[in-house]
Every structure is written in structure tokens, then in C-alpha cells.
Amino acid sequence: MSDSPPILSLLETRVLGTLVEKQRTVPDTYPLSLNTLAAGCNQKTSRHPVLEAGEPEILLALENLKELGLVSEVSGSRVVRFAHNFEKVLGVPTQASALLTVLILRGPQTAGELRLNCERLHKFADISAVEAFLEELAARSAGALAIELPRLPGARENRWAHLLSGQPAIESGSGGRGAASSAQEIDELRSRVAVLEAEAQAAGLADGAAAHLRRLVAVAREASGHGGRPFH
């Protein structure tokens, strides 16, 4: 295990995270060929941000990761395949590597979001278990691998981020907000609308009233200058 965590580029973390993810979710294809690895790095779902990396770029990232011992080539096949040494090199258990992988692939998230998004990599008993491993990652004597971010205005929970690419940019609570902040607020609004619709239906209100609620929140969102996906 290295004395301090490496500082990796976005593509290097994406390659590493994809290898860990595919090992656990589709073990029959692991170790991964370059073609399969590229498809996983560039997939449109469960990724933030979405990338369009070419194979030459991915090969360069693999070379850098191999130098750090985080990735190795696997022989014995007509096609070159790649495997990760994530837990071994960083000295973390599988539970912690699952959390780091989801943070790498999806960006900052709350403990509740991490528990949900880690389901296919590791099933945590409850949110407190997630928080315990996050706190261990943040307090490592060999160098922190995760950090708790300041709570965004209007948010109910703090989000966490990985530190394999260094300190993350802290989103400002005043002035212009980042796209990630806007997306989170829109998701929270969408969740609140769903709750209101359920309450309206339980109270025997007409479908038109529920639809009116959606329109009101959509108008409020536009008035605040937020883009994003439409409500369904």
C-alpha cells in the first residue's frame, strides 16, 4: 500500500471505477478487454459526467494506472485484458471500495444515495453502516480518500466526494450554482411533487389537481432559472 493516495485524472478514475464495477456486476466479462472497458467508461447511465473517451486516451490512462500498480494486464487470452488492484493498493475493504467506486462513477452523493446506488456492488444494512465506512475513509492515517462536503442551501443531507483526484471544487451557496447543485435541487423538487401527488390521491382529489401541482412546481423551477429534465 502506498504512503499517500495517488492523484488521478478524471479518465483514470473512470477507468479504475469501471473495472471495479464490472468485476462485481458482470463477473463473466472480467477482466475486461479494451473494447468492453471503453464501453463501460463511456456509458450514458450511472455516470457523471458522461464521457466520450477514445481507446488511445483510455490506453494512456491504463499505462499511468499500471505504473501506480492500480491496474495490471492479464495474459492467457488472445485479447489483452485488464484487471484492477484497487483494494490491495489502497488498503481498503470491499465495502469501502464499493462506496469509492460509486463516488468515482456518479460524483458527490449523500449517504442515502450511496446506499441505494451501491446495491449491486455491496448491500449495506442501513445508512449508518454507509456513514461509518465513509468516516473511516475520511479519517485514514495513510491519507483521506473521501470528504464530507458542506451542505448545499435547501439540502437535507451533506454529500460526500472521493479524493482520488484531489480536493473537489466546493460549490458556492451564493451567486451562480453549479450544474450538479441545480440537478440535485430539481431531483428534490421532483420527489416532493411525487409525495404531494400521492397525498392528493389519498385525499380523493382529482387527477387534474395533481397535474396542477406539477405545473406549479415546473413554473417555479423555470422562474428560478433552473434547467434540467421535465417532470413526469
Side-chain angles (χ1 to χ4, degrees):
M1 186 181 72
S2 59
D3 293 334
S4 59
I7 301 298
L8 307 177
S9 70
L10 172 60
L11 183 54
E12 288 164 358
T13 60
R14 178 62 56 87
V15 167
L16 189 58
T18 299
L19 286 169
V20 179
E21 178 194 56
K22 300 306 180 184
Q23 179 194 26
R24 301 194 192 184
T25 58
V26 281
D28 290 346
T29 68
Y30 184 84
L32 302 185
S33 66
L34 178 60
N35 184 61
T36 304
L37 177 58
C41 288
N42 295 329
Q43 71 183 54
K44 306 301 182 185
T45 59
S46 303
R47 299 291 186 267
H48 181 76
V50 172
L51 301 181
E52 293 184 0
E55 289 190 358
E57 299 170 271
I58 292 173
L59 281 171
L60 180 58
L62 284 166
E63 286 301 316
N64 293 337
L65 291 169
K66 285 193 289 183
E67 289 181 7
L68 294 168
L70 286 164
V71 167
S72 57
E73 280 189 26
V74 179
S75 58
S77 172
R78 289 177 296 177
V79 177
V80 177
R81 294 181 178 274
F82 302 92
H84 72 86
N85 303 308
F86 192 81
E87 292 94 349
K88 181 179 179 181
V89 172
L90 296 179
V92 296
T94 56
Q95 301 95 320
S97 70
L99 292 170
L100 287 171
T101 296
V102 173
L103 287 172
I104 285 169
L105 296 178
R106 293 176 177 245
Q109 296 157 76
T110 66
E113 290 169 334
L114 283 167
R115 185 191 177 204
L116 178 64
N117 293 330
C118 277
E119 275 289 310
R120 298 180 66 200
L121 280 69
H122 179 84
K123 291 187 177 181
F124 290 91
D126 49 38
I127 292 178
S128 63
V130 174
E131 292 172 336
F133 278 102
L134 288 169
E135 288 165 3
E136 285 184 10
L137 288 170
R140 289 173 80 247
S141 58
L145 292 174
I147 184 172
E148 189 173 14
L149 302 176
R151 186 171 302 183
L152 293 172
R156 297 180 180 179
E157 300 177 63
N158 287 1
R159 297 179 305 155
W160 288 78
H162 74 87
L163 291 174
L164 287 170
S165 295
Q167 289 286 336
I170 303 300
E171 295 171 15
S172 173
S174 59
R177 294 181 185 174
S181 174
S182 296
Q184 183 185 31
E185 290 176 356
I186 292 168
D187 286 340
E188 288 179 358
L189 283 171
R190 188 177 292 106
S191 297
R192 291 172 190 171
V193 169
V195 172
L196 287 171
E197 286 178 336
E199 291 176 350
Q201 291 174 0
L205 295 181
D207 290 341
H212 183 59
L213 283 171
R214 285 200 302 272
R215 288 195 296 271
L216 286 176
V217 177
V219 170
R221 183 194 67 189
E222 293 298 331
S224 300
H226 292 157
R229 298 164 289 174
F231 288 91
H232 298 289

